[in-house]
Amino acid sequence: MAVAELSTSCTKTYSSQLSLSSYSSRFSHHFRRSFRPLPTTRNPTISCSVASDQVQTPIPVQADDLKGKSECYGVFCLTYDLQAEEETKSWKKLINIAVSGAAGMISNHLLFKIASGEVFGPNQPVALKLLGSERSIQALEGVAMELEDSLFPLLREVSIGINPYEVFQDAEWALLIGAKPRGPGMERADLLDINGQIFAEQGKALNASASPNVKVIVVGNPCNTNALICMKNAPNIPAKNFHALTRLDENRAKCQLALKAGVFYDQVSNMTIWGNHSTTQVPDFLNARIKGLPVKEVIKDHKWLEEEFTEKVQKRGGVLIKKWGRSSAASTAVSIVDAIKSLITPTPEGDWFSSGVYTNGNPYGIVEDIVFSMPCRSKGDGDYELVKDVIFDDYLLKRIKKSEAELLAEKRCVAHLTGEGIGFCDLPEDTMLPGEM
Ligand SMILES: NC(=O)C1=CN([C@@H]2O[C@H](COP(=O)(O)OP(=O)(O)OC[C@H]3O[C@@H](n4cnc5c(N)ncnc54)[C@H](OP(=O)(O)O)[C@@H]3O)[C@@H](O)[C@H]2O)C=CC1
Ligand SMILES: O=C([O-])CC(=O)C(=O)O
């Protein structure tokens, strides 16, 4: 089946039959310019273990070694018996955390938080499994060196590799951050396809290699649809385990409400972001609370809520890029930590958190079979339930519908990557990431 570009600039069809190489060679010039097929053969992972009772000489790994060998890295080649030490023998079983885009900006903040114990707790040793690419492998070694030099007691294994099937082996958490940023002149449809290929491949790899109950948080944009693609390519993993990160949007919304109300942001609760991590997202001021009161009772300027507040949250990422010259990385890492903690800690009574999750069985009438940000509660077991007691008004429903329509259009656009036929892109003109303006 041939790929055909249709007449308008944001309308394309894609076939699920094409291999990556035939796809890239037959597609339009900017795909050819920027497309990099993922490795299809298994490349070695560098496994770095400090969890058994042997002691080995550290051998630094050179980038060139990666193709042929599997070696541990520096201090992580040393091995220890955790049971032999008084301090470590009460620790929990080591958990495996896979991170893609591990040499990127967000990961540069996140990895050190995880390794420090800030995320999973002071008795939880962690293994970091870092996924890079041929492009980033040197940088990934630099990251591993910084992890070494940080002397984190809880960091017991580090592995780096460029093959997701190997890096995701036995992963209990997969934090999928790596994705191509949208470049000048690139259509959203192109971005959906390029990044969708990455997430289809990583879904397959998770399906084949990860722990069957792995929790997956997709950060790389467009994260809702990437999460859907990943999920569809991983049929052995429960659909409920896939999240698209909208926690940064929730945090941004809480901050703006606190600022307007003149309170500290810990007074803002029940903050839902509905929908897509894009400029159609809906920060819900109808159900949110300030000091336990409905926001609309505290902030009387409802026009501000509907217009300024909503737009501020939707476009916060773009404003930040203009100031900083790059997209939010530190606050995104913090929000990933928040998202994980929300799943491994019981949600405070009466409160909830937002996450982009699979819509099947949702109680709000949102169309099924998409990944949509909704209010969730957790018992702290890694799972969540959707919150039932939320209210809607016409404004909220209308906005939710718009985000839903956008996600349905994105889904049609990636049908070739979800096993649902030929992708057809008829995206709304104003479809944007929060970082774009
Ligand atoms: N959901 C959310 O709230 C937010 C999401 N984001 C998204 O997170 C993602 C990562 O952001 P950030 O860490 O700042 O980005 P960086 O540019 O610093 O890192 C991105 C990583 O993606 C990888 N990548 C995968 N494919 C490609 C490709 N074709 N071209 C270039 N790089 C590629 C690269 O790693 P490698 O070479 O190892 O594959 C790179 O290190 C982006 O998609 C961004 O839009 C950002 C902020 C908030
Ligand atoms: O558009 C981007 O890459 C940044 C982003 O998602 C955000 O800041 O919310």
Side-chain angles (χ1 to χ4, degrees), residues 222-262:
C223 62
N224 293 56
T225 297
N226 288 341
L228 183 76
I229 294 168
C230 192
M231 187 202 89
K232 294 275 182 179
N233 283 280
N236 298 339
I237 299 167
K240 238 191 142 185
N241 290 17
F242 290 81
H243 297 258
L245 185 81
T246 55
R247 186 54 169 267
L248 177 60
D249 307 297
E250 173 184 330
N251 292 354
R252 287 167 169 168
K254 281 181 166 168
C255 182
Q256 293 307 314
L257 289 178
L259 190 62
K260 183 75 174 174

Side-chain angles (χ1 to χ4, degrees), residues 163-362:
N163 181 338
Y165 286 84
E166 293 194 355
V167 174
F168 292 165
Q169 193 72 47
D170 300 324
E172 287 146 294
W173 289 85
L175 312 175
L176 304 185
I177 300 172
K180 184 178 172 62
R182 180 153 149 185
M186 189 191 283
E187 293 166 19
R188 189 174 171 93
D190 302 342
L191 186 74
L192 273 164
D193 184 68
I194 293 173
N195 283 335
Q197 308 263 4
I198 294 173
F199 287 88
E201 175 75 5
Q202 292 183 1
K204 289 188 180 86
L206 285 167
N207 200 53
S209 304
S211 155
N213 198 26
V214 60
K215 304 290 187 284
V216 184
I217 300 182
V218 176
V219 179
N221 276 317
C223 62
N224 293 56
T225 297
N226 288 341
L228 183 76
I229 294 168
C230 192
M231 187 202 89
K232 294 275 182 179
N233 283 280
N236 298 339
I237 299 167
K240 238 191 142 185
N241 290 17
F242 290 81
H243 297 258
L245 185 81
T246 55
R247 186 54 169 267
L248 177 60
D249 307 297
E250 173 184 330
N251 292 354
R252 287 167 169 168
K254 281 181 166 168
C255 182
Q256 293 307 314
L257 289 178
L259 190 62
K260 183 75 174 174
V263 300
F264 197 59
Y265 35 68
D266 62 352
Q267 301 296 314
V268 185
S269 64
N270 304 83
M271 186 72 241
T272 312
I273 299 294
W274 297 94
N276 201 1
H277 177 70
S278 77
T279 50
T280 67
Q281 67 177 266
V282 193
D284 174 357
F285 52 81
L286 185 66
N287 289 285
R289 294 182 167 256
I290 297 173
K291 289 189 168 178
L293 294 170
V295 164
K296 285 174 114 176
E297 284 179 26
V298 180
I299 298 172
K300 305 280 193 223
D301 184 353
H302 296 175
K303 191 166 159 22
W304 179 86
L305 287 170
E306 288 186 7
E307 292 170 11
E308 234 176 288
F309 163 71
T310 299
E311 194 176 321
K312 240 186 185 145
V313 178
Q314 290 168 335
K315 296 188 173 169
R316 178 78 165 177
V319 173
L320 186 127
I321 288 171
K322 280 205 174 136
K323 303 262 183 209
W324 211 173
R326 59 166 180 74
S327 66
S328 308
S331 58
T332 306
V334 169
S335 75
I336 297 169
V337 171
D338 290 342
I340 296 170
K341 280 182 164 173
S342 287
L343 291 169
I344 60 172
T345 319
T347 310
E349 190 64 35
D351 202 0
W352 61 68
F353 59 91
S354 302
S355 187
V357 291
Y358 195 45
T359 49
N360 278 18
N362 80 85

Side-chain angles (χ1 to χ4, degrees), residues 9-168:
S9 63
C10 57
T11 304
K12 290 195 169 79
T13 59
Y14 301 96
S15 164
S16 55
Q17 309 298 315
L18 288 171
S19 69
L20 294 186
S21 54
S22 63
Y23 182 85
S24 67
S25 64
R26 293 161 81 173
F27 208 47
S28 62
H29 65 282
H30 52 260
F31 272 94
R32 251 183 261 130
R33 202 175 54 226
S34 57
F35 183 73
R36 179 184 67 84
L38 285 160
T40 48
T41 53
R42 291 194 169 211
N43 292 304
T45 302
I46 303 176
S47 288
C48 314
S49 171
V50 283
S52 83
D53 56 4
Q54 291 175 339
V55 177
Q56 302 159 359
T57 309
I59 307 165
V61 172
Q62 303 302 318
D64 292 348
D65 295 341
L66 278 165
K67 290 215 171 107
K69 290 189 213 152
S70 181
E71 303 268 4
C72 56
Y73 195 94
V75 75
F76 296 107
C77 295
L78 300 173
T79 56
Y80 306 93
D81 180 3
L82 295 181
Q83 291 302 314
E85 301 288 333
E86 206 49 49
E87 197 194 331
T88 57
K89 74 180 177 198
S90 62
W91 282 4
K92 296 178 193 165
K93 189 173 159 285
L94 184 91
I95 52 169
N96 293 316
I97 302 150
V99 180
S100 76
M105 297 288 299
I106 295 170
S107 295
N108 197 242
H109 295 272
L110 179 65
L111 294 173
F112 294 83
K113 289 176 175 294
I114 294 172
S116 74
E118 180 187 333
V119 185
F120 291 96
N123 298 323
Q124 179 62 73
V126 292
L128 286 174
K129 300 161 88 64
L130 310 181
L131 180 65
S133 68
E134 279 164 18
R135 171 183 54 226
S136 66
I137 195 63
Q138 293 276 0
L140 211 51
E141 287 183 51
V143 172
M145 287 166 70
E146 284 215 89
L147 286 167
E148 284 186 300
D149 295 345
S150 301
L151 308 183
F152 291 119
L154 290 162
L155 184 59
R156 292 287 156 162
E157 290 185 28
V158 173
S159 52
I160 63 177
I162 62 174
N163 181 338
Y165 286 84
E166 293 194 355
V167 174
F168 292 165

